[in-house]
Amino acid sequence: GAVVSQHPSRVICKSGTSVKIECRSLDFQATTMFWYRQFPKQSLMLMATSNEGSKATYEQGVEKDKFLINHASLTLSTLTVTSAHPEDSSFYICSARGEINTEAFFGQGTRLTVV
Amino acid sequence: AQSVSQHNHHVILSEAASLELGCNYSYGGTVNLFWYVQYPGQHLQLLLKYFSGDPLVKGIKGFEAEFIKSKFSFNLRKPSVQWSDTAEYFCAVNTGGFKTIFGAGTRLFVKA
């Protein structure tokens, strides 16, 4: 399958700082990218969907000003957690999809720890 | 709102036992259906997918799933599990070609 690379895989940051997570599709053009959050022993919760060149669509309850998503190119989307707090500590996963009726491929995830 | 329901949160089986994990979704339109597996410490991997055609889908590692449209179900099956199948399994539904929603997951533990 296609490869989606997420960076960094782990990050520790101080409370109040911002953290940027990158998601790249390495061998295909990602028309749509999805950002998920996974709490320990829980499922993936969709945070937002972004289409290249458009504003992201956020799920209910997800603060768009806190979780900034940029999808400026067909191979890169970024998630910035602004003014991070300990409760933002979680596992963030991106996935990317090419054509509309094809499967999405997942990145390896980013474990964020806010101290 | 669309939702995906996985009925079993934890399943414990002995090796060679048969497996069936239930998945139901609520969405009246066209759906694409997936089963993903997450082994301990690893990221999600696709087991199988259904887009159209034969509702009985065969995936990797001997897994299969059957899409029953009238029941809004997409149950995962394997005739004989192995210890290496110990993992968490997620059913996912892509609605109308847009967002993909995941079920809560089922943790499978296979006793050697």
Side-chain angles (χ1 to χ4, degrees):
Chain A
V3 178
V4 175
S5 176
Q6 200 171 326
H7 179 79
S9 58
R10 294 177 182 272
V11 58
I12 301 173
C13 70
K14 291 185 177 181
S15 187
T17 62
S18 295
V19 173
K20 181 184 285 188
I21 303 169
E22 291 187 348
C23 180
R24 293 181 185 273
S25 57
L26 298 186
D27 50 4
F28 70 102
Q29 293 186 323
T31 309
T32 307
M33 287 192 172
F34 306 90
W35 287 95
Y36 295 86
R37 185 173 178 177
Q38 187 178 28
F39 291 100
K41 300 183 180 180
Q42 294 188 31
S43 185
L44 284 74
M45 291 182 57
L46 181 65
M47 298 174 66
T49 303
S50 73
N51 292 297
E52 185 264 338
S54 304
K55 287 185 179 180
T57 301
Y58 289 81
E59 294 299 300
Q60 191 173 11
V62 178
E63 299 174 59
K64 62 180 181 180
D65 294 329
K66 181 166 187 61
F67 299 100
L68 301 178
I69 292 172
N70 182 285
H71 190 173
S73 79
L74 284 171
T75 59
L76 173 65
S77 176
T78 60
L79 167 67
T80 301
V81 183
T82 62
S83 187
H85 291 285
E87 57 265 31
D88 298 325
S89 297
S90 190
F91 195 56
Y92 293 87
I93 304 171
C94 75
S95 72
R97 185 186 69 202
E99 296 299 317
I100 195 167
N101 276 323
T102 59
E103 68 188 87
F105 297 93
F106 285 80
Q108 66 270 44
T110 297
R111 175 132 347 253
L112 170 64
T113 304
V114 184
V115 298
Chain B
Q2 303 94 347
S3 65
V4 179
S5 177
Q6 289 182 243
H7 316 298
N8 315 101
H9 297 295
H10 292 89
V11 173
I12 301 173
L13 295 173
S14 297
E15 275 196 315
S18 64
L19 169 72
E20 179 159 4
L21 301 182
C23 174
N24 286 85
Y25 64 92
S26 64
Y27 184 73
T30 302
V31 292
N32 299 322
L33 301 160
F34 309 86
W35 275 96
Y36 288 89
V37 61
Q38 188 172 31
Y39 297 102
Q42 297 187 27
H43 63 280
L44 286 169
Q45 300 175 41
L46 182 68
L47 270 181
L48 46 80
K49 61 188 177 186
Y50 171 81
F51 284 95
S52 63
D54 189 345
L56 184 61
V57 179
K58 294 194 183 297
I60 61 171
K61 305 187 181 186
F63 286 92
E64 65 177 31
E66 185 175 12
F67 171 47
I68 303 179
K69 189 174 181 179
S70 61
K71 295 184 178 181
F72 298 89
S73 70
F74 190 55
N75 292 355
L76 179 71
R77 300 194 290 251
K78 186 171 183 177
S80 175
V81 295
Q82 301 172 313
W83 176 80
S84 57
D85 293 324
T86 294
E88 187 156 18
Y89 293 82
F90 294 95
C91 178
V93 176
N94 178 274
T95 59
F98 298 106
K99 58 186 180 183
T100 299
I101 300 169
F102 283 78
T106 297
R107 286 183 178 270
L108 171 66
F109 180 72
V110 180
K111 298 184 290 184

